[in-house]
Amino acid sequence: MKIYIITIKSMINKVSYVVANWELTISNKGEKPHKNPNKLDWNQNSRRCFINGCSNKVYKTKMSGLCKDHEYHQFDLLLSLLDPSGVNHSIPAHHDMINCLMDWSSTRNFPLSPFFEKLSFAILGNVPDISSLSGEVTYEKYKVKELNEIFESSKKVVEQFFPESNNSSFQPLSTKKGDIPVIVLAHVLMSLIVCEEANRGDRWHCRTIRKDESKTTQLGGAMPIVYFAARSFNWGVEMKNVARNFTPN
Ligand SMILES: [Zn+2]
């Protein structure tokens, strides 16, 4: 007799919000889920795959705790952007947006380092990986935050540096994908950092579940911040184009 196991497909809640009449939506629309970098069986206690509903056996020594079917995340967060007329707008590359922000800030005595530092503190290590966010992996003593809670706290950082009450926040910047107001660009960048952290990061798992952040192996959402850091550092050589290699492909 064949036994069929039906697993209920886990869910990722969609997050949508409007800034200066532009609509940002973060949802599970990505097409390339990444390998799950977490060592779910870090204490090597389990012989079963850690994905809920999967009964596949896994070697006790395999620290990922994931069977062959589940080595990759099943979800991939993607950001989409609608302009004020409701038309889908292409998202500029990370380095393009950061170049625009740096050019803009240099003309108005607005240092960007504190903004990127606050984004780093607020996001890196605080965003669960996508398999934990979707509920495919659950933890006995820990309730995983919802995606919208994470966005509520990350949005506050952008609002602090690019307030809606300040006219200059609405200045359009010329990206390679067309003009976008600086306040929207800052929210897009923050949202991409959250998505990268969930799609590729392992810092949250190391910090929160393993209680040892030094075990982190992935840059995750740090990648765009690394580009800013590389361009801000006084190298003594021209780095503008080369620093792009630090950003995700
Ligand atoms: Zn499995």
Side-chain angles (χ1 to χ4, degrees):
M1 188 179 78
K2 261 191 174 174
I3 298 172
Y4 293 96
I5 297 174
I6 299 164
T7 54
I8 298 161
K9 194 79 179 158
S10 310
M11 291 292 292
I12 284 285
N13 292 326
K14 188 171 86 170
V15 172
S16 263
Y17 66 102
V18 175
V19 179
N21 295 323
W22 291 64
E23 188 176 328
L24 290 88
T25 300
I26 299 92
S27 59
N28 171 45
K29 286 257 180 72
E31 288 167 355
K32 284 189 204 158
H34 294 270
K35 204 165 183 177
N36 187 339
N38 290 321
K39 308 283 185 286
L40 294 164
D41 194 20
W42 55 281
N43 51 8
Q44 302 195 327
N45 277 333
S46 176
R47 290 172 195 275
R48 277 255 321 265
C49 175
F50 271 66
I51 297 292
N52 288 332
C54 178
S55 50
N56 290 345
K57 291 246 182 343
V58 176
Y59 286 117
K60 207 174 168 180
T61 49
K62 195 179 180 191
M63 281 173 78
S64 78
L66 296 166
C67 73
K68 273 222 148 52
D69 298 344
H70 293 119
E71 282 177 348
Y72 282 75
H73 288 304
Q74 308 294 300
F75 295 97
D76 191 36
L77 286 184
L78 187 80
L79 169 71
S80 54
L81 182 65
L82 296 181
D83 71 13
S85 54
V87 175
N88 202 29
H89 197 284
S90 299
I91 312 269
H94 295 88
H95 66 266
D96 185 13
M97 286 189 280
I98 294 169
N99 289 345
C100 285
L101 286 174
M102 290 182 81
D103 291 344
W104 175 81
S105 76
S106 68
T107 60
R108 53 186 53 241
N109 196 22
F110 178 100
L112 280 176
S113 290
F115 171 59
F116 279 95
E117 281 168 17
K118 278 273 168 73
L119 282 182
S120 171
F121 292 145
I123 300 174
L124 305 185
N126 292 322
V127 181
D129 60 277
I130 192 72
S131 290
S132 299
L133 273 173
S134 66
E136 294 211 304
V137 177
T138 45
Y139 305 90
E140 228 171 73
K141 292 175 186 162
Y142 194 91
K143 190 182 175 298
V144 176
K145 275 189 201 164
E146 303 257 338
L147 195 58
N148 57 336
E149 282 180 71
I150 290 158
F151 270 94
E152 283 314 313
S153 57
S154 306
K155 271 161 66 183
K156 286 196 180 106
V157 175
V158 186
E159 284 159 4
Q160 183 192 340
F161 287 88
F162 300 90
E164 290 207 354
S165 56
N166 194 335
N167 281 341
S168 69
S169 300
F170 296 86
Q171 192 180 337
L173 301 188
S174 300
T175 75
K176 293 205 164 70
K177 304 287 183 187
D179 285 3
I180 301 178
V182 60
I183 187 174
V184 176
L185 215 55
H187 277 277
V188 165
L189 194 58
M190 173 278 285
S191 301
L192 289 177
I193 294 172
V194 172
C195 291
E196 295 290 354
E197 191 67 359
N199 290 338
R200 310 196 200 202
D202 63 347
R203 186 174 295 273
W204 173 85
H205 189 264
C206 293
R207 180 191 277 187
T208 308
I209 306 300
R210 298 175 72 177
K211 310 279 185 212
D212 186 356
E213 193 176 342
S214 70
K215 297 278 194 268
T216 306
T217 61
Q218 304 298 310
L219 278 172
M223 282 182 281
I225 303 176
V226 170
Y227 175 76
F228 170 76
R231 280 218 49 208
S232 312
F233 181 74
N234 185 17
W235 294 93
V237 293
E238 178 51 55
M239 282 293 278
K240 187 169 177 178
N241 286 337
V242 186
R244 279 186 206 179
N245 295 326
F246 290 119
T247 55
N249 312 318

